[in-house]
Amino acid sequence: MTSLTQAAPTTARTGQPVRGRRLARFTPYGLIGPAVIAFAAVLGYPLVRLVWLSVQDFGPRSLFTGEAPFVGLGNFSRVLGDADFWHVLLRTLIVSVGCVVSMMVLGFLLASLLRLVSNWARVMLSVCLVLIWAMPMVSASMIWRWLFEPQYGVLNWVITQLHVFGDFSAHDWFSSPGQALFLIIVLIVWKGLPFIALTLYAAMGQIPDDLYEASALDGAGRWSTARHVTLPILGPVLAVLVLLEVIWSVNSFTPFWVLTQGGPDGGTTTLGVYSYLEAFTRNDYGGGAAIAIVTVVLLAVLAVLYVRRLIASGEVTA
């Protein structure tokens, strides 16, 4: 009898860690559960509706009758068989690569500069970066439009006053696809640069100073230190930033629409603009939805391959 009463507390005590471990196993799911539910509620239905719309022949007639015949993969076959789609896809890839490479290089240099300047200069520069990042893209695009306006643009006036490149008083920057695309890329880089710079600056602050001191004792210069110390340690952060910027660059819509609406002659049309034009200009809502689904699939495949490559190389652990 005495042995049984003594064994009961022992069993209870040993059971508590087991229940604690079981509870700890489900704690992460409980923490991310509300975010997953909110994400599914906000984006779940639109995504399902978009998928369903992409397999329907939904045109202007469907808006009045409510009838949209099921066409299966017909919209996808038509979109992928269109030569314009592949031109737009190539242009989107070129824009994305240009934006991401520019932002990563300039962001790293700007983050390094933040570590070298004095405290007051760092604060002022950080405030300017945050203000740029906080500005809505629509407002930034409108300001960009005014800066490069042919008749009253500030840039044209400055270039004309320099008397170096001739008279630019009536030069229309957005009449040439090459110039318009370049200006849009510059705008996207300018708008996204603060996020990259401030994130890398915060990550650089976590690198121990001992590593830099050891590198200096070995006689390494700034470039060697950045190459062999800073960049390897920042590898996981850089990997996440590259992936995010690729997604954001491909999905960029506002600067293209506000500045050129995909023109001139479709020279600045990217996948986001192409999907919008297909749906709301040509009234082919099924085709526009198919283009959007193709964009999502391409980004998902790219993200999976990119992450798997990073895991295989050891830069990011699973």
Side-chain angles (χ1 to χ4, degrees):
M1 188 70 179
T2 305
S3 61
L4 292 176
T5 56
Q6 292 176 349
T10 304
T11 304
R13 287 195 300 269
T14 56
Q16 289 177 357
V18 174
R19 288 194 298 270
R21 287 195 296 269
R22 291 177 178 175
L23 182 61
R25 184 185 307 172
F26 293 101
T27 298
Y29 299 100
L31 293 175
I32 68 174
V36 173
I37 294 174
F39 183 81
V42 174
L43 296 179
Y45 172 76
L47 184 59
V48 172
R49 183 72 180 102
L50 183 67
V51 173
W52 179 240
L53 189 63
S54 67
V55 294
Q56 292 180 307
D57 183 13
F58 200 103
R61 183 173 178 272
S62 302
L63 295 175
F64 298 96
T65 63
E67 300 177 356
F70 178 78
V71 295
L73 299 179
N75 290 327
F76 294 94
S77 300
R78 179 165 50 83
V79 168
L80 296 177
D82 188 359
D84 291 338
F85 170 79
W86 297 104
H87 294 155
V88 171
L89 177 60
L90 178 60
R91 187 179 300 114
T92 304
L93 294 177
I94 293 174
V95 170
S96 301
V97 171
C99 291
V100 173
V101 172
S102 301
M103 278 189 283
M104 297 307 298
V105 173
L106 295 176
F108 180 81
L109 295 176
L110 193 54
S112 301
L113 178 63
L114 286 172
R115 291 179 55 85
L116 298 176
V117 297
S118 60
N119 290 333
W120 71 268
R122 184 183 302 113
V123 171
M124 294 299 298
L125 186 56
S126 299
V127 170
C128 293
L129 290 174
V130 170
L131 291 177
I132 293 174
W133 190 36
M135 181 183 298
M137 180 57 86
V138 175
S139 302
S141 301
M142 292 300 297
I143 293 174
W144 218 250
R145 183 74 185 181
W146 293 336
L147 287 174
F148 295 95
E149 207 278 330
Q151 298 295 332
Y152 309 104
V154 175
L155 185 67
N156 286 353
W157 179 82
V158 171
I159 295 177
T160 303
Q161 294 301 314
L162 292 176
H163 301 291
V164 176
F165 302 100
D167 186 7
F168 270 70
S169 57
H171 181 73
D172 188 358
W173 295 88
F174 299 102
S175 63
S176 170
Q179 294 180 5
L181 203 59
F182 174 76
L183 293 180
I184 293 174
I185 292 176
V186 173
L187 172 59
I188 295 175
V189 172
W190 175 79
K191 191 69 176 61
L193 188 60
F195 176 74
I196 301 294
L198 294 176
T199 302
L200 290 179
Y201 171 69
M204 288 178 181
Q206 305 303 314
I207 301 176
D209 293 333
D210 298 342
L211 296 178
Y212 290 112
E213 294 175 1
S215 178
L217 291 175
D218 291 337
R222 289 184 178 179
W223 167 244
S224 298
T225 302
R227 180 181 178 186
H228 298 290
V229 177
T230 306
L231 289 177
I233 297 178
L234 294 180
V237 178
L238 291 172
V240 174
L241 289 177
V242 168
L243 182 58
L244 289 176
E245 291 301 337
V246 168
I247 295 174
W248 292 340
S249 298
V250 172
N251 290 328
S252 183
F253 171 81
T254 303
F256 293 93
W257 188 253
V258 172
L259 292 176
T260 63
Q261 297 186 353
D265 298 328
T268 60
T269 301
T270 56
L271 285 175
V273 178
Y274 188 52
S275 176
Y276 183 88
L277 290 174
E278 192 73 17
F280 297 101
T281 301
R282 303 182 181 94
N283 295 323
D284 183 7
Y285 302 100
I291 297 172
I293 293 297
V294 170
T295 304
V296 172
V297 171
L298 289 176
L299 288 175
V301 172
L302 177 62
V304 170
L305 294 177
Y306 182 70
V307 172
R308 289 186 60 183
R309 179 181 176 276
L310 292 175
I311 295 175
S313 63
E315 297 184 25
V316 177
T317 57

